[in-house]
Structure formats: C-alpha cells, structure tokens
Amino acid sequence: QVRVMESGGGSVHAGESLELLCTYSSSDNYRYYIGWFRQAPGKEREGIAAFYIGTSADYADSVRGRFTLHQDENESRVASLQMNNLKPEDTGVYTCAVHRRSISWRDVLFPNFYDYWCQGTQVTVSS
C-alpha cells in the first residue's frame, strides 16, 4: 500500500513564492516517481512538474522557469516544488501523485500514468 502526503500551499500575492512538499510511504521496495498536478476553477487537471529517470524533471510550459522540483538523490520519498513569481493564473488545487512505471519525459505530465494521489492543497494567488 502506498500513501501520499502533501503540505504547503496557501494564499499569496502575485510575485511571491510558495513551496509544496510531497512525501510517500510504501510497504514495498519500489522507487516511485513524484509528479505535481493542478486544477484551476472550471478547468481540467493539468500536469505541471514531474520527475522521471532519477531526478530528471519536466515542467509544463506555463510554469517552466518559475517552478523548480527538488529531490535528494538518496531519498526519493520526499520532494519539494518551489514556486516563484506566482501569478493569479497559478491559482488552483495542487495535488502530488506517484507512479513506478518506466515512462519518458513525454508522458510524465499525464495524470493517467499515476497510481496514488494525495488529497491536494489550495494555492491562491491574488493580483
């Protein structure tokens, strides 16, 4: 059984920063890859940042250059998402999820590949 937990989030003004933390626990010895998704009001869930092949990461164009994933190479169960220069359009529910498939960078932002999800946390950015 895999359990995914997330912390962080909150309300900030445009231009400010937030950090999200994601951790998972499992009863097996598999390495799981962490990804982050967000869902804005009235929109579909979109992948915004995810690891693949060790600590390599890919980002959605909408956050590239502003959001950064961090993970210790020796501790794959913990990762953080540093979100800088936040914009009002970044508002939404942010959810981290994990999978253990061997998928390429082309697929890491697709939610269908993820098996275990946390509840999500609200991020609100005001102008």
Side-chain angles (χ1 to χ4, degrees), residues 1 13 15-16 19 26 32 41 52 54-55 63 65 72-73 75 82 92 96 99 103 115-117 119 122:
Q1 185 175 359
H13 292 99
E16 294 182 342
E19 184 179 46
S26 65
Y32 288 79
Y52 67 99
T55 57
V63 306
D72 188 322
E73 286 189 4
E75 182 50 82
Q82 178 66 40
C96 69
H99 72 87
I103 59 178
D115 302 300
Y116 303 96
W117 296 76
Q119 196 166 0
Q122 177 70 39

Side-chain angles (χ1 to χ4, degrees), residues 4-118:
V4 185
M5 295 155 284
E6 183 181 28
S7 62
S11 297
V12 296
H13 292 99
E16 294 182 342
S17 300
L18 280 173
E19 184 179 46
L20 303 179
L21 187 69
C22 182
T23 65
Y24 72 86
S25 61
S26 65
S27 57
D28 56 41
N29 292 322
Y30 291 108
R31 188 237 172 97
Y32 288 79
Y33 291 92
I34 295 174
W36 255 282
F37 301 80
R38 74 180 175 196
Q39 187 165 18
K43 295 187 177 181
E44 292 186 358
R45 182 164 56 191
E46 62 170 334
I48 56 172
F51 288 106
Y52 67 99
I53 309 177
T55 57
S56 298
D58 195 31
Y59 301 88
D61 289 344
S62 59
V63 306
R64 194 184 309 275
R66 299 186 296 120
F67 291 13
T68 306
L69 283 167
H70 294 284
Q71 187 176 61
D72 188 322
E73 286 189 4
N74 297 317
E75 182 50 82
S76 64
R77 297 174 181 263
V78 181
S80 63
L81 180 65
Q82 178 66 40
M83 305 184 293
N84 296 330
N85 190 22
L86 284 160
K87 304 176 180 180
E89 52 264 42
D90 293 319
T91 294
V93 176
Y94 284 66
T95 308
C96 69
V98 301
H99 72 87
R100 60 179 180 91
R101 296 178 173 82
S102 296
I103 59 178
S104 75
W105 61 269
R106 294 182 181 86
D107 297 324
V108 291
L109 297 181
F110 286 96
N112 291 347
F113 289 105
Y114 290 77
D115 302 300
Y116 303 96
W117 296 76
C118 70

